[in-house]
């Protein structure tokens, strides 16, 4: 018990990701009476650091080094390794995001340590931390622990609840000097494709379409529904193959794995390949013309009908709800 | 250009999964080349077609993996290497596999190493980035487009749906994401040719490694299946009633709106 845990925070569009708070909740559990040290890099990190404290960190290390403005593999790896060398944490926690997936294995390689990726839960048993993670695209789960070296894990978004924000919490925010050099891979350009800035892996609600949506124009009606709900838009492989939408929206065995609270499967048959990516959603709604579609077998609520009739009705009802609540 | 693909043989997760004696039952399972590694093999072949050179596919496992290596050769790879760990007595994890691959790759000439973004069975995606670090070469993950000009490599990568363009230099290790290419199926002449292509087996003993160097750092302590999802309610009535009822159920019963 009583461990020192290092949590690497992550920002998106200048704001801390909710996942960083979820990582802090995991870290607090691992730390026991020990210390949770947050770390944050890039622009605004000084400003955002206090939020890490409000959500569970005891102190925060920040660096606004020019080389850390945006995630790059070389710069962030060096930064995290230096923090690990300075702080000697007994546990390291990151989000299982694009950044965490790129960064954590490299840090683990450099530290010659184990790493448990994509965890959705954890239990502390004495000195041991047992992590739960989905395997076989969510068709099975494994419990896994680190045998030797730092307890190192990446956390899947939307699974471990963040702690209640506590504005009374105080902690030291320290600016650290890092030596970042020899950057060999350089970002030339970033083209935003994700819609409305809602990342599928972190979305609480997802509106996903399949071949039944019939066209790229058909997807517009899904985007409109998603807008009303503040949801992310996803798609089946079939819809991507048919070029109704970009592959970046694909959910499934190849594609993204998501665990939202609410998943709308619209005009989407529910092939095994797709179910592998979303069957752990808390509530699934199917809207499908075909009463025999496999998606109905896993859906909590199903409407058998034409999506082009049902979705506009849903939009109308939801819009009214929002206005009556406003 | 010397291209090496690091490949994993995986359980086809479209198969039904069951657990026997605390382990995933593999008896009737179908094994395949990890789908993300197929993108890597395809891209390596395309790069060879453009720039010349050789494609070598490497895997760590037992002799059962020869089938998948032959498939890679039938797709168009030139050589295959199996690093046989059947006689290893210690447990292996991502750390171990990365150590084994690295100690082999250190003895090889290469300009580029390609791997999958992750393996669909375990889903960790650790081995390739670990190998890049151990070899101290450039790393670009989840690539969706790659162009090589001399030493310069321009890559598009998927960053949570956005497209990031990066520039780096050879030697580089890349992990392949969906959308990179459309992997070819082995052709009949390809399958015939593959039978004559070299498939080398290296015992892990031949790599300068002791068992204690590759002992796993993590351990799986339990496997279980999630509770099965059962069909819920199919709503009734005219479409407007159904839509209204759905919103009501999501709000009051499931409390997700």
């Amino acid at each position: 018990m009583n461990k020192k845990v290092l949590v690497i925070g992550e920002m998106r569009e200048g704001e801390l990701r909710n996942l960083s708070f979820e990582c802090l909740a995991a870290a607090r559990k691992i730390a026991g009476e020990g210390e949770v040290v947050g770390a944050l890099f890039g622009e605004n990190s000084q400003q955002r650091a206090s939020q890490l404290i409000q959500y569970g960190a005891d102190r925060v290390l920040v660096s606004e080094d020019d080389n850390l403005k945006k995630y790059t593999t070389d710069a962030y790896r060096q930064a995290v390794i230096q923090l690990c060398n300075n702080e000697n944490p007994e546990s390291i926690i990151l989000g299982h995001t694009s950044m965490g997936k790129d960064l954590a294995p490299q840090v683990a390689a450099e530290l010659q340590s184990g790493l448990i990726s994509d965890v959705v839960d954890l239990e502390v048993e004495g000195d041991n931390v047992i992590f739960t993670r989905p395997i076989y695209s969510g068709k099975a789960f494994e419990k896994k622990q680190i045998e030797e070296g730092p307890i190192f894990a990446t956390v899947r978004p939307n699974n471990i609840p963040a702690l209640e924000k506590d504005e009374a919490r105080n902690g030291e925010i320290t600016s650290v000097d890092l030596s970042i050099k020899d950057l060999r891979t350089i970002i030339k350009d970033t083209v935003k494709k994700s819609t409305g800035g809602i990342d599928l892996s972190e979305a609480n609600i997802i509106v996903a379409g399949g071949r039944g949506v019939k066209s790229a124009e058909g997807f517009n009606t899904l985007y409109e529904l998603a807008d009303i709900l503040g949801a992310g838009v996803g798609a089946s492989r079939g819809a991507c193959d048919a070029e109704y939408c970009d592959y970046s929206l694909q959910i499934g065995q190849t594609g993204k794995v998501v665990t939202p609270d609410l998943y709308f499967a619209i005009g989407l048959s529910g092939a095994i390949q797709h179910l592998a990516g979303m069957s752990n959603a808390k509530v699934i709604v199917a809207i499908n013309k075909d009463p025999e579609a496999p998606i109905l077998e896993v859906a909590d609520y199903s409407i058998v009908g034409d999506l082009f009739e049902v979705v506009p009705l849903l939009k109308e009802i939801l819009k009214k709800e929002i206005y009556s609540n406003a | 250009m010397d291209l090496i693909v690091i490949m994993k043989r995986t359980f086809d997760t479209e198969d039904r999964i069951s657990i026997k004696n605390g382990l995933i039952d593999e008896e009737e399972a179908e094994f395949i080349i990890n789908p993300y590694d197929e993108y890597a093999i395809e891209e390596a072949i395309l790069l060879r077609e453009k720039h010349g050179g050789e494609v070598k596919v490497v895997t760590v496992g037992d002799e059962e993996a020869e089938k998948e290596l032959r498939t890679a050769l039938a797709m168009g790879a030139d050589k295959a290497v199996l690093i046989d760990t059947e006689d290893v007595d210690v447990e292996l994890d991502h750390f171990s596999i990365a150590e084994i691959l690295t100690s082999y790759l250190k003895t090889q000439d290469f300009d580029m190493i390609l791997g999958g973004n992750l393996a669909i069975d375990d889903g960790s995606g650790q081995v390739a980035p670990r190998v890049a670090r151990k070899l101290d070469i450039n790393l670009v993950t989840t690539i969706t487009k790659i162009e090589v000009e001399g030493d310069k490599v321009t890559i598009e990568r998927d960053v949570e749906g956005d497209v990031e363009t990066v520039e780096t230099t050879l030697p580089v290790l890349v992990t392949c994401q969906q959308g990179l290419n459309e992997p070819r199926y082995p052709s009949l002449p390809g399958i015939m040719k593959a039978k004559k292509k070299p498939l080398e087996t290296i015992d892990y003993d031949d790599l300068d490694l002791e068992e204690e160097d590759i002992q796993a750092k993590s351990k799986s302590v339990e496997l279980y299946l999630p509770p099965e999802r059962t069909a819920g309610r199919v709503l009734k009535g005219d479409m407007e009633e159904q839509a209204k009822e759905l919103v009501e159920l999501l709000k009051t019963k499931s409390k997700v709106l």
Side-chain angles (χ1 to χ4, degrees):
Chain A
M1 281 310 282
N2 300 353
K3 291 184 172 65
K4 180 174 183 176
V5 188
L6 178 65
V7 175
I8 312 297
E10 186 176 349
M11 288 194 280
R12 193 181 161 93
E13 323 258 317
E15 298 288 338
L16 271 162
R17 293 178 79 143
N18 200 47
L19 176 58
S20 295
F21 307 140
E22 297 166 13
C23 288
L24 287 168
R28 235 3 325 156
K29 221 165 149 182
I30 296 166
E33 299 293 309
E35 190 185 30
V36 174
V37 182
L40 203 54
F41 308 128
E43 272 178 303
N44 287 335
S45 48
Q46 189 79 36
Q47 226 180 325
R48 300 278 175 256
S50 57
Q51 279 185 49
L52 291 181
I53 290 171
Q54 289 166 352
Y55 280 95
D58 295 302
R59 59 188 171 92
V60 181
L61 308 168
V62 298
S63 170
E64 297 198 357
D65 189 302
D66 276 349
N67 289 315
L68 298 171
K69 271 190 179 157
K70 213 171 171 236
Y71 177 77
T72 64
T73 210
D74 293 336
Y76 272 57
R77 183 191 72 237
Q78 293 176 40
V80 173
I81 292 289
Q82 282 168 42
L83 292 186
C84 288
N85 290 339
N86 295 345
E87 294 285 336
N88 273 312
E90 288 147 300
S91 172
I92 308 163
I93 305 292
L94 274 82
H96 194 68
T97 57
S98 202
M99 171 179 113
K101 291 181 227 178
D102 192 79
L103 179 57
Q106 295 188 74
V107 172
E110 194 138 333
L111 299 176
Q112 290 281 87
S113 71
L115 167 65
I116 301 180
S117 303
D118 199 18
V119 308
V120 295
D121 199 7
L122 74 160
E123 308 151 58
V124 177
E125 277 183 15
D127 227 19
N128 250 338
V129 182
I130 299 161
F131 293 97
T132 304
R133 58 186 302 273
I135 51 172
Y136 297 90
S137 311
K139 285 181 160 185
F141 285 85
E142 84 176 324
K143 291 195 175 185
K144 210 168 181 187
Q145 66 189 40
I146 296 281
E147 293 284 280
E148 189 201 324
I151 297 168
F152 195 172
T154 58
V155 174
R156 179 186 287 206
N158 255 340
N159 282 274
I160 297 172
L163 300 171
E164 200 75 28
K165 180 177 178 178
D166 179 357
E167 292 190 21
R169 271 179 73 87
N170 276 312
E172 203 180 326
I173 296 168
T174 319
S175 184
V176 286
D177 272 329
L178 299 168
S179 154
I180 312 285
K181 55 185 185 202
D182 194 19
L183 303 175
R184 300 182 297 197
T185 301
I186 293 147
I187 301 177
K188 302 303 268 187
D189 183 34
T190 305
V191 179
K192 296 250 166 253
K193 277 197 166 176
S194 42
T195 48
I198 294 170
D199 173 36
L200 277 179
S201 65
E202 278 187 282
N204 289 319
I205 305 178
I206 291 175
V207 175
R211 274 191 182 272
V213 180
K214 285 188 186 138
S215 65
E217 294 71 48
F219 259 81
N220 288 339
T221 183
L222 268 54
Y223 279 110
E224 288 159 19
L225 176 61
D227 259 356
I228 299 168
L229 290 163
V233 173
S236 70
R237 180 174 191 156
C240 297
D241 284 345
E243 296 181 6
Y244 301 164
C245 57
D246 195 81
Y247 276 111
S248 61
L249 301 189
Q250 189 186 324
I251 291 168
Q253 176 170 291
T254 42
K256 294 196 168 58
V257 177
V258 296
T259 35
D261 293 336
L262 175 56
Y263 191 92
F264 285 92
I266 301 178
L268 189 158
S269 67
I272 290 174
Q273 128 83 26
H274 186 75
L275 297 181
M278 47 64 78
S279 60
N280 290 318
K282 286 176 196 102
V283 177
I284 298 172
V285 172
I287 300 170
N288 207 300
K289 267 202 306 214
D290 176 10
E292 303 293 323
I295 191 75
L296 269 62
E297 287 165 30
V298 298
D300 297 275
Y301 307 115
S302 302
I303 294 182
V304 176
D306 180 2
L307 72 94
F308 294 104
E309 187 185 348
V310 180
V311 175
L313 285 168
L314 279 176
K315 284 194 293 202
E316 217 174 287
I317 296 164
L318 288 164
K319 260 191 215 155
K320 272 188 213 147
E321 291 276 338
I322 293 166
Y323 289 130
S324 66
N325 288 345
Chain B
M1 201 158 59
D2 291 326
L3 301 137
I4 297 182
V5 178
I6 49 178
M7 183 200 90
K8 187 179 186 186
R9 167 184 193 257
T10 59
F11 196 103
D12 186 351
T13 54
E14 297 209 2
D15 270 6
R16 209 181 162 75
I17 305 258
S18 59
I19 290 178
K20 208 168 149 183
N21 303 327
L23 294 170
I24 299 285
D25 184 6
E26 297 188 342
E27 218 154 275
E28 286 180 24
E30 188 77 31
F31 280 85
I32 53 172
I33 295 176
N34 174 41
Y36 287 98
D37 299 351
E38 286 186 342
Y39 299 128
I41 296 165
E42 176 66 29
E43 199 61 25
I45 295 167
L46 293 172
L47 285 164
R48 182 198 62 199
E49 283 169 357
K50 207 163 164 187
H51 301 279
E54 184 184 276
V55 175
K56 180 154 62 187
V57 180
V58 183
T59 196
V60 177
D62 56 26
E63 61 179 20
E64 305 239 24
E66 284 181 11
K67 179 177 150 264
E68 285 70 32
L69 287 173
R70 286 281 172 215
T71 306
L73 293 171
M75 283 173 76
D78 302 291
K79 290 179 177 169
V81 176
L82 166 66
I83 304 174
D84 194 335
T85 51
E86 197 169 7
D87 295 331
V88 179
D89 289 324
V90 293
E91 283 206 44
L92 303 179
D93 67 354
H94 313 99
F95 162 80
S96 322
I97 304 296
E99 292 292 312
I100 293 168
L101 279 171
T102 305
S103 88
Y104 168 74
L105 292 165
K106 270 185 178 157
T107 66
Q108 302 297 305
D109 290 323
F110 57 82
D111 299 295
M112 190 185 299
I113 299 173
L114 302 95
N117 161 34
L118 52 80
I120 55 166
D121 50 1
D122 169 78
S124 290
Q126 286 189 27
V127 170
R130 280 180 182 264
V131 167
R133 188 82 294 271
K134 298 292 291 184
L135 292 170
D136 193 20
I137 60 172
N138 296 330
L139 167 70
V140 184
T141 51
T142 57
I143 74 163
T144 52
K145 191 177 174 191
I146 181 164
E147 265 163 31
V148 182
E149 240 191 286
D151 251 7
K152 199 177 102 180
V153 188
T154 309
I155 291 172
E156 286 182 10
R157 58 186 297 259
D158 164 36
V159 182
E160 287 167 8
D162 295 338
V163 181
E164 190 177 272
T165 307
V166 301
E167 251 177 44
T168 190
T169 50
L170 297 176
V172 64
L173 185 152
V174 296
T175 70
C176 300
Q177 172 69 309
Q178 189 182 22
L180 177 64
N181 56 42
E182 201 52 58
R184 67 194 70 190
Y185 288 103
S187 64
L188 196 57
I191 293 167
M192 299 310 286
K193 267 196 232 161
K195 291 182 179 162
K196 294 196 189 108
K197 287 181 180 173
L199 193 162
E200 184 189 1
T201 301
I202 298 176
D203 198 85
Y204 103 97
D205 276 346
D206 302 335
L207 302 168
D208 196 18
L209 283 171
E210 301 297 326
E211 283 196 345
E212 68 226 44
D213 299 332
I214 56 169
Q215 166 93 45
K217 305 274 187 186
S218 62
K219 187 181 167 191
S220 188
V221 290
E222 191 190 333
L223 288 178
Y224 64 94
L225 301 180
E228 243 179 85
R229 267 198 119 94
T230 46
R233 265 181 68 186
V234 178
L235 305 184
K236 300 268 182 265
D238 74 35
M239 281 305 146
E240 196 167 345
E241 281 166 24
Q242 289 194 38
K244 273 189 186 148
E245 189 183 2
L246 176 64
V247 172
E248 200 53 36
L249 284 166
L250 293 175
K251 260 173 55 190
T252 52
K253 187 138 178 286
S254 301
K255 299 190 168 48
V256 285
L257 279 185

